[in-house]
Amino acid sequence: VAKSKGRNRFVYFDHQMQEEAQRRMRMAGDLRNALANGEFELHYQPIVNLKNGRIAKAEALIRWRHPQKGMISPATFIPLAEDTGTICGVGNWVFEEAVRTVVAWRSRYDPAFQISINASPVQFKNGGIPHARWLSLLDEMRVPGSSLVIEITERLLLDVEDSVKCQLYALRQAGMQMSLDDFGTGYSSLSYLTKLNIDYIKIDQSFVSSLTPDSDDMILCEAMIAMAHKLGLKVVAEGIETEAQCALLKGAGCDYGQGYLFSRPVDARTFEGLIVAHAAA
Ligand code: C2E
Ligand code: MG
Ligand code: MG
Ligand code: MG
């Protein structure tokens, strides 16, 4: 009896896995058409200068408005785009959209405004960042590379090939800044902080979510901020949801903050409203 039950269970799991695989395949197909169908949107979340309370930058976060399934989170479809090779097209679209937005916001609100975009390590595989095309778009739009910050993760730095270094170098040469996202959660060796030219670290939200004055997380945040500053890097704290967390990070000398306390990610029009309201306040 046990044996047949075991086999049934196996068949059941097998069936479930097959359904999951089919679901992913359908979504991968939809993903391929999503770009052509204009189903992606960039939302923007403010990055606030904690010294003066001003909105200094925005992080661009992609959203997929699926015609049947509604909004799909990047946490769901970015890994699929990475597995199926769609990520390069998606990444180029994000770049172009962010450039158009930063041009508009620089001319309307703040000539020093920056937008930060997330780049997947897979985009860098096989020299996959079309930097010539990216740089000529900047030229065409008459906007300096320094209007953009590229967020990379420790995952990219795990096996830094020369080609990755070359691509990062080309972007830096054009003036773009580099930010190390989700800092403290990967396996990266700290030596990357000095070997690659990085401008910002983003303290991962997992260190911020239960931050209290005497917590271990507080010690870690203080240590990360002190280390970054000694290396000449600026620090952004992610996932700030409460005034208390904000005050602690500010007290520890953190340069920038991002999180629901300031605003959730919003569409471009709503973001412009935030800038205007903030400037008036
Ligand atoms: P990330 O780059 O670390 O982005 C921060 C994530 O934290 C965003 O989730 C944001 O909405 C969320 N967040 C911000 N403030 C708070 C807060 O106060 N509390 C909480 N609980 N969450 C907060 P989102 O937009 O769902 O994006 C998830 C991840 O998907 C991003 O993590 C990034 O790794 C990836 N992603 C998003 N857009 C892109 C993109 O255009 N390209 C690539 N390659 N990846 C992207
Ligand atoms: Mg990010
Ligand atoms: Mg992050
Ligand atoms: Mg994250």
Side-chain angles (χ1 to χ4, degrees):
V1 177
K3 207 172 168 187
S4 78
K5 254 191 186 159
R7 190 178 300 137
N8 280 338
R9 202 186 302 151
F10 179 73
V11 167
Y12 171 73
F13 276 126
D14 194 52
H15 180 69
Q16 229 182 16
M17 277 164 63
Q18 200 181 328
E19 274 196 344
E20 172 61 19
Q22 278 171 353
R23 197 186 60 83
R24 271 177 67 89
M25 257 171 51
R26 270 196 305 273
M27 197 184 266
D30 293 350
L31 201 50
R32 265 193 298 279
N33 300 324
L35 206 52
N37 294 345
E39 291 165 12
F40 291 118
E41 284 172 27
L42 272 192
H43 283 198
Y44 299 89
Q45 188 177 33
I47 298 176
V48 173
N49 181 331
L50 294 180
K51 306 262 144 66
N52 60 20
R54 298 243 285 272
I55 300 178
K57 312 167 200 286
E59 178 174 4
L61 294 156
I62 195 170
R63 302 289 181 257
W64 179 13
R65 200 182 287 277
H66 190 285
Q68 285 90 40
K69 299 193 180 82
M71 281 292 199
I72 302 181
S73 149
T76 306
F77 73 82
I78 291 289
L80 189 60
E82 290 176 338
D83 291 346
T84 55
T86 343
I87 191 69
C88 288
V90 172
N92 289 332
W93 179 83
V94 168
F95 180 86
E96 286 163 19
E97 185 71 14
V99 168
R100 278 191 285 272
T101 305
V102 84
V103 167
W105 291 353
R106 280 193 161 213
S107 75
R108 279 180 218 153
Y109 309 109
D110 173 1
F113 200 80
Q114 284 182 310
I115 291 184
S116 101
I117 62 175
N118 293 281
S120 154
V122 179
Q123 282 173 265
F124 289 85
K125 280 265 162 341
N126 314 313
I129 300 271
H131 45 262
R133 183 173 144 193
W134 283 17
L135 302 194
S136 71
L137 178 68
L138 292 176
D139 248 22
E140 224 174 89
M141 303 292 284
R142 297 172 195 281
V143 65
S146 56
S147 59
L148 296 173
V149 180
I150 310 292
E151 297 196 5
I152 58 177
T153 61
E154 297 174 13
R155 196 152 57 100
L156 175 66
L157 307 178
L158 267 182
D159 49 350
V160 203
E161 312 154 23
D162 282 346
S163 97
V164 170
K165 281 194 193 143
C166 286
Q167 294 174 80
L168 289 174
Y169 182 78
L171 301 178
R172 282 198 67 82
Q173 278 297 98
M176 286 176 227
Q177 292 192 305
M178 299 293 150
S179 182
L180 193 48
D181 205 352
D182 304 338
F183 186 76
T185 60
Y187 323 79
S188 88
S189 125
L190 291 173
S191 65
Y192 289 130
L193 286 178
T194 51
K195 279 195 203 124
L196 293 162
N197 282 300
I198 285 167
D199 303 281
Y200 306 90
I201 61 166
K202 295 189 83 169
I203 296 180
D204 190 70
Q205 55 191 50
S206 58
F207 298 99
V208 175
S209 59
S210 42
L211 201 60
T212 53
D214 298 314
S215 58
D216 289 346
D217 283 336
M218 191 68 229
I219 296 170
L220 294 177
C221 285
E222 283 167 349
M224 287 188 271
I225 293 165
M227 178 183 65
H229 284 168
K230 281 185 183 149
L231 291 170
L233 314 176
K234 300 274 190 211
V235 183
V236 184
E238 292 190 294
I240 301 180
E241 296 186 353
T242 68
E243 291 286 0
Q245 292 162 351
C246 186
L248 289 172
L249 288 158
K250 214 169 137 177
C254 187
D255 305 282
Y256 297 95
Q258 182 181 349
Y260 296 169
L261 174 65
F262 308 109
S263 169
R264 289 183 176 254
V266 292
D267 62 44
R269 274 182 63 132
T270 310
F271 194 95
E272 293 189 47
L274 288 178
I275 301 181
V276 172
H278 231 72

